[in-house]
Amino acid sequence: MPSRTVENYLKSILMISINKNCVEVPMGMIAESLKVTPGTATSMVKNLQKEKWLNYKARKGVTLTGSGKKIGMRMIRRHRLIETFLVETLGLDWSEIHEEAEELEHSISDKVLEKLDVFLGNPQFDPHGHPIPSKSGVIRRLSQKSLLDCKVGKKMKIESILDQRTEFLNFAKNKSLMPGNIIKILKYQKIADTVEVQVEKKPKFSLGFNSADKIMVSG
Amino acid sequence: MPSRTVENYLKSILMISINKNCVEVPMGMIAESLKVTPGTATSMVKNLQKEKWLNYKARKGVTLTGSGKKIGMRMIRRHRLIETFLVETLGLDWSEIHEEAEELEHSISDKVLEKLDVFLGNPQFDPHGHPIPSKSGVIRRLSQKSLLDCKVGKKMKIESILDQRTEFLNFAKNKSLMPGNIIKILKYQKIADTVEVQVEKKPKFSLGFNSADKIMVSG
DNA sequence: TTATAGACTTTGATTAATCAAAATTAAAAT
DNA sequence: ATTTTAATTTTGATTAATCAAAGTCTATAA
Ligand SMILES: [Mn+2]
Ligand SMILES: [Mn+2]
Ligand SMILES: [Mn+2]
Ligand SMILES: [Mn+2]
């Protein structure tokens, strides 16, 4: 019933509200995340409100309704299961699956999706370490702690990578910045906005604050 | 570059010209095959001509250009490889894959398609017995002989099933009307427009002329 | 040779999604 | 309390794809 555009809006809005855990998602973030002009986002969001998928307060932002959340979550599940399939079964690299899944998430029937889920053995995390919501829309709470929130010297486990850009993921893999690996912050240089880190026994290197904030960790 | 609508038009036109082997494809068939009104087909076809994908002669029909044929063939390859994947890998029934592939054929990147091809071991035919074009756009000539063109009593091998409707394919499977099986026409009753047939050692049954014409055979 | 039916085309309108640029508002800085 | 800035909304227009219904052709049938 919802068009692929609607599906994209609802998924993006849900992901923003999860990642930044905010209740009201501001229009600017929606426009940025969907790569449309602010005016487009405003007009689209008004339509979504008519369809009862969200509530919109002018100059405040947007809150998903129950049905909006449901569709958004459904899209996240689809996206992540498809990504997992592309890596596990077809052997694509984790850096090239995001755009692919962005399309496929709208094209697969529920039946095929559930077959895929079984075929893959009910995976719980996608290749970037993001939890895959259950069919009924339940998702594991993900770590809200990024590299930036860590004490110097403490060893942490990498949970997931938020940045989905191909180049960033290539860089990350090259530096072994991958889910499961152990990372330590060696130095924290506020003035230069960098952290110096070491992954497992590999050579140390530096990350800017923006990049470090995309590496989610636990432990 | 071409939109999914354009891809659908070019694929449909190519398939009609192959199936009916005619050079000029009439507008009516295009409209019917794409389930749009005749006026829509006319206006769309004019756009396609502007883009050099085909030549259109008013009240005559349409002929694909080289580039139009190339895109059409690419879509046939995609469609059939995806159908094969859905049956071979995910275990869907041959009756429920057509609509699915109709969507997916537009959503998968070339890279994923070729990975799929390798994963499946370069299959030559889809689950309905239709030849899969090579990456470079070469397709095996398919049998032009249907059950209707057979001598009574002669044993023939079923090559492919043209009718893609779910209900027909369910019926066909139930009667073992599937590629590879051996079929014999027992009786040919022009007046009732039925043929009585027997597949392998199974009980005999009747088919209307329209249905019989959808079963392509050889040998 | 006219009629006429059926295939096809034209016309005029609609819808979803988008943009650019102008207008408005609220928050922050002075 | 003003001014400035940044975020957001409004306005007006465009594009691809579609339909309904009116108009036009052309091949056959009377
Ligand atoms: Mn998407
Ligand atoms: Mn992911
Ligand atoms: Mn299609
Ligand atoms: Mn097929």
Side-chain angles (χ1 to χ4, degrees):
Chain A
M1 195 102 323
S3 69
R4 71 182 49 212
T5 304
V6 170
E7 290 179 336
N8 280 334
Y9 274 79
L10 295 176
K11 185 186 61 161
S12 283
I13 293 166
L14 179 57
M15 288 189 57
I16 294 169
S17 79
I18 288 175
N19 284 333
K20 313 264 182 218
N21 61 287
C22 52
V23 189
E24 271 177 337
V25 178
M27 298 309 296
M29 281 187 175
I30 298 174
E32 189 201 353
S33 141
L34 290 158
K35 299 188 179 87
V36 295
T37 59
T40 299
T42 300
S43 102
M44 191 65 200
V45 149
K46 284 175 173 178
N47 297 336
L48 298 181
Q49 179 164 56
K50 271 198 216 95
E51 309 281 346
K52 303 263 174 59
W53 280 316
L54 50 75
N55 292 114
Y56 162 61
K57 285 212 276 240
R59 294 188 138 99
K60 289 288 169 182
V62 134
T63 323
L64 293 183
T65 63
S67 63
K69 237 176 249 159
K70 196 167 151 201
I71 295 178
M73 200 60 92
R74 175 168 174 271
M75 296 317 292
I76 294 178
R77 172 170 165 83
R78 298 176 146 251
H79 188 101
R80 293 179 180 174
L81 269 175
I82 289 165
E83 282 191 346
T84 306
F85 167 74
L86 293 174
V87 167
E88 296 297 315
T89 308
L90 297 187
L92 298 218
D93 190 79
W94 78 337
S95 68
E96 51 188 1
I97 56 180
H98 181 74
E99 290 309 314
E100 197 83 48
E102 204 55 59
E103 274 304 303
L104 283 171
E105 64 190 6
H106 312 289
S107 307
I108 274 182
S109 71
D110 284 340
K111 183 158 199 171
V112 167
L113 195 83
E114 299 316 319
K115 291 264 185 187
L116 220 46
D117 186 32
V118 171
F119 180 79
L120 294 168
N122 291 101
Q124 299 301 299
F125 295 91
D126 84 1
H128 309 109
H130 299 132
I132 298 175
S134 74
K135 198 180 170 183
S136 59
V138 179
I139 189 172
R140 257 163 306 291
R141 198 94 212 74
L142 71 153
S143 168
Q144 296 288 133
K145 184 183 278 188
S146 85
L147 260 195
L148 277 193
D149 312 311
C150 297
K151 286 203 219 83
V152 171
K154 183 131 187 257
K155 284 183 176 168
M156 308 295 288
K157 190 167 84 185
I158 298 177
E159 292 288 324
S160 69
I161 312 293
L162 290 190
D163 196 322
Q164 293 295 303
R165 287 170 307 167
T166 301
E167 315 76 49
F168 187 81
L169 289 169
N170 279 332
F171 166 80
K173 187 186 218 174
N174 183 253
K175 297 296 190 184
S176 295
L177 287 169
M178 296 180 83
N181 287 350
I182 301 302
I183 190 169
K184 193 163 71 164
I185 300 198
L186 305 175
K187 230 188 273 172
Y188 191 97
Q189 292 190 289
K190 201 165 203 168
I191 192 61
D193 77 276
T194 60
V195 287
E196 193 171 77
V197 300
Q198 182 175 35
V199 181
E200 306 275 338
K201 258 96 207 196
K202 300 280 173 66
K204 56 193 184 179
F205 62 94
S206 287
L207 278 172
F209 274 18
N210 281 340
S211 298
D213 205 34
K214 298 292 167 52
I215 313 295
M216 308 310 287
V217 297
S218 73
Chain B
M1 197 103 319
S3 68
R4 71 181 50 208
T5 304
V6 169
E7 290 179 337
N8 280 333
Y9 273 78
L10 295 176
K11 184 185 62 160
S12 283
I13 293 166
L14 179 58
M15 288 190 57
I16 294 168
S17 81
I18 288 176
N19 285 334
K20 314 264 182 218
N21 59 287
C22 53
V23 189
E24 268 177 341
V25 177
M27 299 307 297
M29 283 187 175
I30 298 174
E32 189 201 354
S33 141
L34 289 158
K35 299 188 178 87
V36 294
T37 60
T40 299
T42 300
S43 101
M44 191 66 199
V45 148
K46 285 176 172 177
N47 297 335
L48 299 181
Q49 178 165 56
K50 271 198 215 96
E51 308 281 346
K52 303 264 174 61
W53 281 316
L54 50 74
N55 292 303
Y56 163 60
K57 284 210 275 227
R59 298 190 133 97
K60 289 290 169 180
V62 134
T63 322
L64 292 183
T65 62
S67 62
K69 238 176 247 157
K70 197 167 151 200
I71 295 177
M73 200 60 92
R74 174 166 175 273
M75 296 317 292
I76 294 178
R77 172 171 166 83
R78 296 175 148 254
H79 188 101
R80 293 180 180 174
L81 270 176
I82 289 165
E83 281 191 346
T84 305
F85 166 75
L86 293 173
V87 168
E88 296 296 315
T89 308
L90 296 188
L92 297 188
D93 190 78
W94 78 336
S95 67
E96 50 187 2
I97 56 180
H98 181 74
E99 290 309 315
E100 197 83 47
E102 204 55 59
E103 273 304 303
L104 283 171
E105 64 191 5
H106 312 287
S107 307
I108 273 182
S109 71
D110 283 340
K111 183 157 200 172
V112 167
L113 194 84
E114 299 317 319
K115 291 265 185 187
L116 220 45
D117 186 33
V118 171
F119 181 78
L120 294 167
N122 290 100
Q124 299 301 299
F125 295 92
D126 83 3
H128 309 110
H130 300 132
I132 298 175
S134 72
K135 197 179 171 184
S136 59
V138 179
I139 189 172
R140 259 163 306 291
R141 198 93 210 74
L142 70 154
S143 169
Q144 294 290 134
K145 183 182 279 187
S146 85
L147 260 194
L148 277 193
D149 312 312
C150 296
K151 287 203 218 78
V152 172
K154 184 135 188 252
K155 285 184 174 163
M156 308 295 287
K157 189 168 86 189
I158 298 177
E159 292 288 324
S160 68
I161 313 293
L162 290 190
D163 196 324
Q164 293 295 303
R165 286 171 308 167
T166 301
E167 313 76 49
F168 187 82
L169 289 169
N170 279 331
F171 166 81
K173 188 186 215 174
N174 185 252
K175 298 296 190 184
S176 295
L177 287 169
M178 294 180 83
N181 287 351
I182 301 301
I183 190 168
K184 194 162 70 163
I185 299 198
L186 304 175
K187 231 187 273 172
Y188 190 98
Q189 292 189 287
K190 200 166 203 167
I191 191 61
D193 78 277
T194 60
V195 287
E196 193 172 78
V197 300
Q198 183 176 34
V199 182
E200 305 277 339
K201 259 97 207 194
K202 300 279 174 65
K204 58 193 182 179
F205 63 94
S206 286
L207 279 172
F209 274 18
N210 280 341
S211 297
D213 205 34
K214 299 289 167 56
I215 314 295
M216 308 309 287
V217 299
S218 72

